[in-house]
Amino acid sequence: MKKIAPPKFALDFLRWYCREDYIEEIEGDLTELFENQLASAPKKANWTFFWLVLRHFRPDFIKPISIPNLFIHQAMFKNHFKIAWRHIFKKKLYSFINITGLGVGMACCILILLYVKHELSYDQYHTNLHSIYRVLHAYKSQGEKGKPTNPEDYQVWGSAPVGPALIKDFPEVESYFRFTSPSNWLFEYEDKRFQEDNIVFADSNAFEMFSWKMIAGDPATALDEPYSIVLTEKVAKKFFGEEDPIGKTLREGETAIKVTGVMENVPANSHFTFDGLVSMSTFRDFRPGIFDSWGYVDFYTYFILQENASIANLKSKTSEFVDRYTGDWEDSDYEITFEPMADAYLHSEAARQPGETGSIANLTIFSSVALFILLIACINFINLSTSRSLERAKEVGIRKVVGARRYTLIGQFLSEFILLSLFAAALAMVLVVLLSPVLQDISGKPISYKSLLVWENLPIATGVILLIGLLAGSYPALLLSRFQPTKVLKGAFKSSGGGIALRKGLVVFQFSLSIALMVGTAVVFSQLQYLRNHDLGFDQEQMVIVDFAWDSEVKRQMDAIKQTYLSNPDVVSIASSRAVPGGFLPNAGTYIEAPDGTKTMYSPTIYEIDQDFISNYKIELAAGRSFSRDFPMDSAQALMINEAAAKMWGYSNPEDIVGKEFDQWGKSGTVIGVVKDFNYKSLHKSVEPLSLRYDPRSLRKFSIKINSKDIPKTIAELEKTWDELVPHRPFLYSFLDDSFNKQYQADNRFGQIFGVFACIAILIACLGLFGLTAYTTSQRTKEIGIRKVLGASVGNIVALLSIGFLKLFFIALLIAIPLSWYVMTRWLEGFAYQVGLRVELFALAGIGTLSIALLTISWQSIKAALANPVKSLKSE
């Protein structure tokens, strides 16, 4: 009959804390009480035993804690590390796998965290960061009035009077600052000319509100006077070399501008990207009317909130505020809201940003990948250590027989794991130093390992090494120290079923993550390939863009320049426009006659083009005609739109809107044609309504279609012609496909970084699988020898050794598919045009991971299967 014992947990707890000179007596008394009570009340007996164990947990009976003896005894530590050192070098293969896997995992984790840290550091250098907000504007057309405003409906770009009105109406607003979109300047200094396209007009309190550092000049007054400019250090050096720029005069046509300051370059981790600030009073001199116009949009407005003011309270007053100034707008609706500047880079969904924005979703994915890689590396550690527990069972048994306590053994094994973690950390640092330039190239961010080399990071690094050593080594150390010496030394010890199940579980976890990462990689690269190959609806191949920045002399001799270029046999066609696909476009309030005969106002984006633009880009017509030299009044009375705009005005058939009347920006006439929808913006968004009008005064860029096998020669010829026709302006060109694809730069970087780290994660998982296979194969040498003697083929042996891992792989596949489907569906939601989660992507990822795993396993399996059974049986 089975003897009923006191609760094991309570008994173990008693033995753990009770002094040795009391344990026998106390355990005997409590056991006797338990047995006496057991017959009458079994449940009560358990609770009583547990309660009495707790009552004895007091200083009289607790073992004395001797810190020097337990943790910092020098001799003990020396002995632990000496044994650990010997064991690491004795088992070189497993030590190599553990150190390499963990080192690579730690290096990947550090590199990803450096990237994440850089992204999170955007704008953090501003002292007033958390009290600065910016104004977001939502301009709704007549058809959108009264509809809810979504976060993506707002834009950062707005009008000039909103800043002064805020400070006038709300005492909570301490000060405001405005700057404009970048404008293009052709500066002259002595006999040199410089075309700069990233200069903005800015209010004079720029250096009071933001923490940009002045190198020369007075930050308080540098932008006070009209026709003054503050240059960034790199631009000042380009203009003046080693000369002192302060007080020097730059000329822009007939305008003289005085350099009143030089500031440090705008930090790379900033959502501002300008190269120079021209005083706002200069812009006011140029166009005074727009500073009172709520409908003219060209300004970004930031403000500082008073210390004790509430932004929520301020937001609640915006409706009345807007009505006060724009309540007479009958055909449109206008709203504003406020956004913390701290959210500008990673959290803003507003359009018309002044600089690049990041993605908090991508950072979450990268952080998850870093954690996954470290987990996979730690799992290798745990799996290899626990699977080799049988090898160290005798060592544990002998140590226990000669008096070693369990905590001593735990300390010894943890010392070994922490030492391995230390070696891995050293390898990781070497890899980080070597690979951080590669990450810098891929990400396009100034990420450097040097930010790690500060004394403040030493305690953090020590803590992380200890934590990883403890995380990876705790379970193996507890498992090994629990072995019973009697069973071990009698040879009756076997690896526990729980340990095997844990290893299988960890392998499934590893491969679930690996397959999910592989699926993610396949989806990301498929989507990027889809974007590159998607038919945009216009011709962008070998299209050279020349920016002449609205130069009046170029516009005056526009036809002559075109004809001269067309005489070059490599030039197929040429057109001019204000913007080109992928570039910035304004919106224009436009009235067009609706099907019911009323004129309805919407605000489509606007392309200002010449008569050759449609044909030059091979944009197809859906209805009507294009602008033509045969119709001289086209520049004054004609408008073209795209199919999306026709639908917005209520015409499902494009033919029906042709001939309808329109009013737009001072022009009126009829719609003469409808072009088919083409993707003039990123494929993150669907095609938006567009209007196109012929306006010779607004042209800024040439689009030159070439057909050349020797592109450098053709470009040189174009430049030579330009220098002859437009000697006063530099020949600045780019290729349309390059500039258009810059919209996907962040996506390409994301794909490259994700792909690299996903592959590394899979390789680390396979490294662990290789170690497990090597160990399992070595443990089954005798069995393999006997099977071969009995006639088993190489295929039978390989199948025997592989079938277990294959089962685990398919379980992992079942877990990884829904996980990766969910995550990548969320990621693809950021694109209007999606490749879709096709079955073949999952199949490709699964087959790829399985192939790598089989290659890893088969090398060891085939080696074991081909071994001479006589030798293996002799050795056993």
Side-chain angles (χ1 to χ4, degrees):
M1 181 178 175
K2 186 178 178 182
K3 184 180 177 182
I4 298 178
K8 187 173 183 306
F9 171 75
L11 195 58
D12 288 345
F13 182 56
L14 174 68
R15 289 169 179 169
W16 176 71
Y17 76 74
C18 190
R19 289 173 52 164
E20 290 182 5
D21 45 347
Y22 289 118
I23 182 63
E24 186 174 351
E25 182 180 348
I26 293 174
E27 184 176 337
D29 289 347
L30 297 187
T31 303
E32 186 176 347
L33 284 172
F34 171 79
E35 290 174 349
N36 291 337
Q37 201 174 24
L38 187 64
S40 57
K43 290 186 178 177
K44 188 177 179 182
N46 285 334
W47 283 108
T48 303
F49 185 87
F50 184 67
W51 169 244
L52 291 174
V53 168
L54 287 179
R55 286 190 61 186
H56 283 82
F57 188 67
R58 55 180 190 258
D60 293 345
F61 302 112
I62 294 175
K63 292 174 184 174
I65 298 174
S66 174
I67 293 176
N69 287 338
L70 288 176
F71 298 109
I72 60 172
H73 193 281
Q74 186 178 359
M76 186 185 71
F77 270 118
K78 187 176 177 182
N79 182 54
H80 284 175
F81 281 102
K82 184 188 291 183
I83 294 170
W85 184 272
R86 287 174 180 168
H87 194 78
I88 289 170
F89 282 90
K90 182 181 176 184
K91 299 293 180 182
K92 293 184 178 63
L93 175 63
Y94 299 110
S95 299
F96 171 79
I97 291 173
N98 273 333
I99 292 171
T100 305
L102 194 56
V104 172
M106 290 167 80
C108 292
C109 201
I110 292 170
L111 288 169
I112 291 175
L113 291 180
L114 281 174
Y115 176 80
V116 172
K117 182 184 171 189
H118 175 79
E119 292 293 280
L120 294 176
S121 73
Y122 265 72
D123 299 315
Q124 298 297 316
Y125 62 91
H126 293 293
T127 307
N128 297 323
L129 175 66
H130 296 292
S131 57
I132 299 177
Y133 294 82
R134 58 182 186 173
V135 184
L136 304 185
H137 314 258
Y139 297 92
K140 294 183 177 179
S141 58
Q142 191 174 356
E144 297 167 327
K145 288 178 73 172
K147 293 182 180 176
T149 309
N150 299 313
E152 61 272 17
D153 295 332
Y154 287 99
Q155 63 180 41
V156 193
W157 211 38
S159 58
V162 68
L166 282 175
I167 205 162
K168 173 175 169 283
D169 290 12
F170 301 119
E172 301 97 315
V173 177
E174 184 177 303
S175 61
Y176 71 89
F177 167 80
R178 297 165 302 181
F179 68 100
T180 64
S181 306
S183 51
N184 195 292
W185 296 71
L186 181 62
F187 290 115
E188 292 181 55
Y189 176 67
E190 297 178 341
D191 59 344
K192 294 175 286 189
R193 288 193 176 92
F194 306 93
Q195 183 162 323
E196 296 296 328
D197 56 5
N198 200 16
I199 305 292
V200 302
F201 294 99
D203 279 326
S204 59
N205 60 340
F207 301 97
E208 180 185 333
M209 184 176 288
F210 302 103
S211 302
W212 297 316
K213 295 179 182 173
M214 286 285 277
I215 298 172
D218 183 354
T221 60
L223 293 171
D224 277 354
E225 299 296 323
Y227 305 100
S228 56
I229 185 171
V230 174
L231 299 173
T232 56
E233 189 177 5
K234 67 175 182 184
V235 174
K237 188 156 285 187
K238 182 166 75 173
F239 287 4
F240 303 105
E242 298 304 319
E243 291 182 49
D244 181 5
I246 302 299
K248 296 281 192 307
T249 299
L250 295 167
R251 300 201 68 81
E252 212 280 346
E254 299 300 319
T255 305
I257 300 178
K258 184 179 178 183
V259 179
T260 53
V262 177
M263 61 179 285
E264 286 187 355
N265 296 331
V266 178
N269 56 347
S270 174
H271 80 283
F272 298 100
T273 57
F274 58 85
D275 290 328
L277 302 172
V278 178
S279 61
M280 190 63 80
S281 50
T282 312
F283 198 24
R284 189 182 287 275
D285 256 21
F286 290 163
R287 304 185 67 182
I290 63 173
F291 285 83
D292 297 319
S293 171
W294 286 77
Y296 183 86
V297 177
D298 194 19
F299 294 83
Y300 299 95
T301 304
Y302 292 64
F303 65 90
I304 290 185
L305 194 68
Q306 294 278 7
E307 189 173 349
N308 297 319
S310 162
I311 191 66
N313 185 44
L314 190 63
K315 281 183 180 179
S316 68
K317 303 175 186 173
T318 56
S319 181
E320 291 179 14
F321 173 80
V322 167
D323 283 345
R324 195 151 48 239
Y325 292 99
T326 64
D328 58 343
W329 289 6
E330 295 178 357
D331 299 325
S332 61
D333 200 10
Y334 172 57
E335 291 179 21
I336 64 167
T337 189
F338 309 120
E339 181 178 67
M341 194 174 80
D343 291 348
Y345 182 70
L346 284 177
H347 301 281
S348 180
E349 297 181 48
R352 307 286 189 185
Q353 295 283 346
E356 65 170 351
T357 55
S359 166
I360 191 68
N362 287 355
L363 287 195
T364 305
I365 291 174
F366 283 139
S367 301
S368 302
V369 170
L371 180 64
F372 290 164
I373 290 175
L374 197 59
L375 275 177
I376 289 171
C378 287
I379 287 171
N380 281 352
F381 219 78
I382 295 170
N383 269 348
L384 280 177
S385 302
T386 54
S387 65
R388 294 176 55 233
S389 58
L390 282 173
E391 281 185 12
R392 305 194 69 173
K394 287 186 178 177
E395 176 191 340
V396 173
I398 292 171
R399 285 182 180 279
K400 282 195 169 182
V401 166
V402 297
R405 294 182 180 279
R406 191 179 176 196
Y407 58 76
T408 310
L409 291 170
I410 291 174
Q412 178 199 322
F413 290 124
L414 284 180
S415 302
E416 184 176 322
F417 296 126
I418 290 171
L419 193 61
L420 281 168
S421 177
L422 182 64
F423 288 155
L427 174 64
M429 275 313 298
V430 173
L431 292 174
V432 167
V433 171
L434 293 175
L435 297 177
S436 59
V438 179
L439 180 62
Q440 187 170 329
D441 286 343
I442 295 175
S443 67
K445 309 283 184 182
I447 297 169
S448 171
Y449 67 89
K450 292 178 181 174
S451 61
L452 297 171
L453 304 180
V454 292
W455 288 110
E456 290 81 3
N457 285 340
L458 187 59
I460 298 174
T462 307
V464 169
I465 291 169
L466 287 173
L467 181 65
I468 292 175
L470 292 173
L471 178 68
S474 293
Y475 179 75
L478 290 171
L479 179 72
L480 290 166
S481 63
R482 204 166 56 189
F483 290 169
Q484 296 296 321
T486 50
K487 289 184 180 178
V488 170
L489 296 177
K490 285 180 180 176
F493 174 79
K494 290 183 178 178
S495 184
S496 70
I500 295 171
L502 176 69
R503 285 198 294 279
K504 289 181 176 177
L506 292 176
V507 169
V508 168
F509 181 69
Q510 272 187 320
F511 273 91
S512 298
L513 294 181
S514 301
I515 296 167
L517 290 172
M518 187 70 104
V519 170
T521 306
V523 172
V524 169
F525 279 96
S526 296
Q527 176 65 19
L528 294 178
Q529 188 68 20
Y530 175 78
L531 295 182
R532 280 191 283 268
N533 296 333
H534 183 78
D535 181 8
L536 299 173
F538 65 90
D539 184 9
Q540 61 169 342
E541 297 299 321
Q542 294 201 355
M543 191 71 77
V544 181
I545 307 299
V546 180
D547 187 350
F548 56 88
W550 296 287
D551 190 299
S552 56
E553 182 62 25
V554 174
K555 285 191 279 189
R556 192 182 61 77
Q557 51 176 333
M558 178 73 68
D559 289 338
I561 294 173
K562 281 184 172 182
Q563 291 304 318
T564 307
Y565 272 138
L566 285 171
S567 65
N568 186 320
D570 290 334
V571 174
V572 178
S573 56
I574 181 171
S576 54
S577 57
R578 174 174 175 170
V580 295
F584 172 79
L585 293 170
N587 291 74
T590 307
Y591 292 87
I592 295 182
E593 188 180 346
D596 61 2
T598 60
K599 280 193 176 178
T600 307
M601 198 280 280
Y602 288 102
S603 298
T605 47
I606 177 171
Y607 257 115
E608 289 166 293
I609 60 178
D610 68 1
Q611 311 99 319
D612 302 312
F613 186 87
I614 302 292
S615 58
N616 188 47
Y617 277 94
K618 297 182 180 174
I619 298 169
E620 294 184 38
L621 279 174
R625 65 173 178 86
S626 180
F627 298 117
S628 169
R629 290 179 176 80
D630 297 334
F631 297 87
M633 295 307 290
D634 276 358
S635 62
Q637 300 174 352
L639 184 74
M640 296 183 72
I641 58 174
N642 67 352
E643 291 174 309
K647 287 176 186 171
M648 186 168 69
W649 263 282
Y651 295 95
S652 56
N653 182 0
E655 297 279 358
D656 296 339
I657 199 170
V658 175
K660 300 297 180 185
E661 294 182 355
F662 80 92
D663 292 298
Q664 185 191 61
W665 280 4
K667 290 186 179 180
S668 58
T670 56
V671 177
I672 62 166
V674 180
V675 295
K676 288 188 176 180
D677 287 341
F678 63 99
N679 294 98
Y680 58 93
K681 289 185 178 178
S682 155
L683 294 178
H684 281 276
K685 296 181 178 178
S686 53
V687 178
E688 296 177 359
L690 172 71
S691 62
L692 304 102
R693 69 180 198 174
Y694 171 38
D695 191 343
R697 298 169 304 170
S698 301
L699 304 178
R700 172 181 174 172
K701 297 182 178 183
F702 282 118
S703 300
I704 307 173
K705 171 72 178 176
I706 62 173
N707 183 16
S708 172
K709 293 180 180 177
D710 189 352
I711 291 178
K713 171 178 165 288
T714 304
I715 294 295
E717 290 172 355
L718 294 178
E719 183 171 9
K720 184 180 177 185
T721 304
W722 182 266
D723 290 340
E724 292 169 356
L725 297 173
V726 193
H728 64 283
R729 182 168 287 276
F731 180 75
L732 299 179
Y733 75 96
S734 60
F735 285 94
L736 180 66
D737 51 354
D738 291 341
S739 55
F740 191 84
N741 288 333
K742 279 183 180 175
Q743 298 176 107
Y744 308 120
Q745 207 170 35
D747 299 315
N748 287 327
R749 287 172 179 165
F750 171 79
Q752 288 175 329
I753 297 172
F754 187 87
V756 167
F757 286 112
C759 289
I760 290 174
I762 293 166
L763 289 178
I764 294 174
C766 286
L767 195 63
L769 188 60
F770 174 81
L772 271 181
T773 312
Y775 178 76
T776 307
T777 307
S778 70
Q779 291 298 301
R780 302 180 73 173
T781 302
K782 186 176 181 179
E783 179 191 345
I784 293 168
I786 292 171
R787 285 180 183 273
K788 288 194 71 175
V789 168
L790 294 177
S793 66
V794 173
N796 295 141
I797 300 297
V798 171
L800 173 72
L801 295 173
S802 306
I803 193 70
F805 288 112
L806 290 178
K807 288 178 182 174
L808 299 182
F809 173 83
F810 284 111
I811 294 172
L813 190 64
L814 293 177
I815 296 171
I817 287 175
L819 173 69
S820 54
W821 177 86
Y822 176 78
V823 174
M824 297 319 295
T825 299
R826 301 283 83 78
W827 184 76
L828 284 173
E829 285 175 354
F831 297 88
Y833 299 87
Q834 303 173 3
V835 68
L837 293 176
R838 304 188 307 274
V839 175
E840 53 264 36
L841 291 176
F842 292 91
L844 181 67
I847 292 171
T849 310
L850 178 62
S851 302
I852 297 171
L854 283 177
L855 281 174
T856 308
I857 297 169
S858 59
W859 189 81
Q860 284 291 337
S861 302
I862 293 171
K863 182 182 171 187
L866 293 175
N868 188 341
V870 177
K871 287 184 180 178
S872 61
L873 291 176
K874 273 184 180 178
S875 65
E876 291 288 317

